[in-house]
Amino acid sequence: MEMSGKVAVITGGTSGIGRSTAEKLLERGATVLVLGRSRERGAEMEQLGNCHFYPCDMACPEEIAETCDAILRDYPEIDILVNNAGMSIDGTVETLSLEEWNQIFAVNVTSVYLMSKYLIPAIRKRGGGRIINIASTAGTVGAPGLDAYASTKGAVIQLTRSMAADYAAEGILVNAVCPGGTLTPLMCGIEANGSLDDFASLFPIKRLAQPEEIAAMIVFLASDAASFMAGSTVLVDGGFTCI
Ligand SMILES: NC(=O)c1ccc[n+]([C@@H]2O[C@H](COP(=O)([O-])OP(=O)(O)OC[C@H]3O[C@@H](n4cnc5c(N)ncnc54)[C@H](OP(=O)(O)O)[C@@H]3O)[C@@H](O)[C@H]2O)c1
């Protein structure tokens, strides 16, 4: 899966699944633009070479607009957009505050809309490309105590299908990846509760994923090998949703 000459933008590219995806695309020769809030981890990514960090808070639509302007000044044509940045806040509809609800929708859903809105014209200039939206198994089945998070991921899946239908004829292929439990900092809350083994036991595969195992699917969808995929929701979940 040679990627030299390709320009890829990854939101949340400073950690976990996004970072692993950036590393794999860099290994294959792509130029990778990573977005995130952590300047320290952004600088670490830049040390990998051919990787450029754009600081951006995905909860802030104005920052997203300014960052996309900067990206387009530097790279007027883009091949791959991975909408990966995401956050989770535990809670039911009773315990979640409206502020928390709005924050998680801003980061997990509105950023996908805005990044796609601003960067699709640059993908069109290339004559087509790939958008991969990172959803979750929580967008496909109920997730007790994660009411807002699950709602955002369901929205990402539906947005993916609609965008795929809008843009497939132009060669802009949009798909979603739904990771199951993956060992990243996002999992820290569970680890802090000492229940990581209990969580892993819920998966037929009896373990959680490494970020590289999710990144492998993202890279496949970004590659020429996935030339007939549009609007798919690809579960990479160790069998979590098959039982
Ligand atoms: N880990 C899992 O088990 C799992 C399962 C299903 C789906 N997912 C999804 O996979 C995606 C990646 O998660 P991960 O597990 O790799 O988590 P992670 O290691 O915590 O990484 C999250 C990334 O999102 C960025 N981010 C979060 N809030 C942001 C904000 N307000 N503005 C800008 N960037 C922000 C972070 O960058 P900064 O810290 O630099 O801001 C970081 O790079 C998410 O969409 C998540 O919902 C994860």
Side-chain angles (χ1 to χ4, degrees):
M1 291 179 195
E2 179 58 34
M3 296 275 184
S4 52
K6 305 271 188 201
V7 177
V9 176
I10 307 177
T11 70
T14 53
S15 175
I17 293 166
R19 181 182 175 130
S20 181
T21 303
E23 288 169 354
K24 285 183 186 296
L25 291 175
L26 287 165
E27 279 164 19
R28 287 160 177 76
T31 298
V32 180
L33 319 182
V34 297
L35 279 63
R37 291 164 302 178
S38 167
R39 287 175 188 272
E40 193 185 330
R41 281 185 273 115
E44 276 173 31
M45 293 304 294
E46 290 201 320
Q47 306 231 318
L48 298 176
N50 218 15
C51 184
H52 307 284
F53 173 62
Y54 292 79
C56 183
D57 184 350
M58 288 290 147
C60 176
E62 294 77 19
E63 273 193 38
I64 294 176
E66 284 165 16
T67 304
C68 286
D69 278 349
I71 288 173
L72 293 170
R73 274 195 301 275
D74 297 343
Y75 298 91
E77 297 187 13
I78 288 163
D79 300 278
I80 298 158
L81 168 62
V82 183
N83 285 309
N84 163 78
M87 60 171 292
S88 181
I89 302 174
D90 289 0
T92 65
V93 289
E94 282 185 291
T95 62
L96 285 161
S97 68
L98 181 58
E99 191 186 18
E100 289 171 326
W101 178 270
N102 286 337
Q103 188 192 358
I104 191 167
F105 266 81
V107 175
N108 291 9
V109 185
T110 307
S111 78
V112 178
Y113 147 66
L114 289 173
M115 291 297 299
S116 304
K117 179 183 182 66
Y118 296 138
L119 297 189
I120 280 174
I123 299 176
R124 185 177 285 123
K125 277 190 195 160
R126 277 283 214 236
R130 302 297 160 84
I131 300 178
I132 299 113
N133 296 328
I134 309 309
S136 170
T137 51
T140 68
V141 293
L146 288 175
D147 293 6
Y149 181 75
S151 304
T152 63
K153 295 304 186 178
V156 168
I157 290 169
Q158 281 300 82
L159 179 57
T160 300
R161 292 181 177 130
S162 299
M163 284 171 58
D166 285 335
Y167 295 107
E170 292 187 77
I172 301 174
L173 304 184
V174 188
N175 293 285
V177 171
C178 291
T182 307
L183 291 163
T184 70
L186 200 73
M187 276 281 141
C188 280
I190 291 175
E191 195 165 25
N193 294 334
S195 57
L196 214 53
D197 287 344
D198 291 347
F199 187 46
S201 73
L202 301 176
F203 292 74
I205 206 165
K206 299 298 175 203
R207 65 174 178 86
L208 301 178
Q210 295 296 333
E212 296 76 17
E213 295 177 282
I214 311 301
M217 177 53 67
I218 299 170
V219 170
F220 170 74
L221 289 171
S223 77
D224 292 342
S227 52
F228 201 62
M229 295 191 69
S232 291
T233 302
V234 184
L235 292 153
V236 186
D237 71 349
F240 185 71
T241 54
C242 74
I243 50 173

